[in-house]
Amino acid sequence: MLETVILIVFAMIGVSLLLNLWRLLIGPSVPDRILALDTMYINTIALIILYGMSMGTSLYFEAALLIAMLGFVSTVAVCKYLLRGDIIE
């Protein structure tokens, strides 16, 4: 039963990624696009964790942690660039 639920959640997160991609490409403003990109990072982390659960290994949890850190740093850098025009002061 867990395998069926994992497949259903894979499909739901896949649809969510497609909707985020649509918002990223069509978004009316730059903050909407940044938010869509940040949400895509979160959905990718969820996919990696689900894949790790389905394979039964903990290696993918470490990869998800690395992607979470990269997503946070990149979101902060893009927001800082939009606010001030430069990343490093």
Side-chain angles (χ1 to χ4, degrees):
M1 180 161 163
L2 182 63
E3 295 156 358
T4 306
V5 171
I6 286 177
L7 286 176
I8 291 170
V9 174
F10 268 128
M12 290 175 152
I13 293 176
V15 169
S16 175
L17 277 170
L18 288 175
L19 291 172
N20 284 328
L21 182 65
W22 177 70
R23 176 55 63 189
L24 184 67
L25 297 175
I26 308 294
S29 64
V30 176
D32 286 332
R33 291 184 172 137
I34 292 172
L35 199 60
L37 187 63
D38 193 43
T39 308
M40 286 181 80
Y41 273 118
I42 293 169
N43 289 338
T44 305
I45 292 166
L47 277 177
I48 291 173
I49 289 174
L50 275 175
Y51 187 70
M53 287 173 58
S54 67
M55 291 294 135
T57 181
S58 64
L59 179 67
Y60 295 103
F61 297 114
E62 294 174 12
L65 182 64
L66 288 173
I67 290 176
M69 288 189 298
L70 285 173
F72 173 74
V73 170
S74 66
T75 301
V76 169
V78 170
C79 290
K80 194 171 181 183
Y81 176 74
L82 287 176
L83 286 175
R84 298 184 183 163
D86 63 344
I87 296 173
I88 300 172
E89 296 176 358

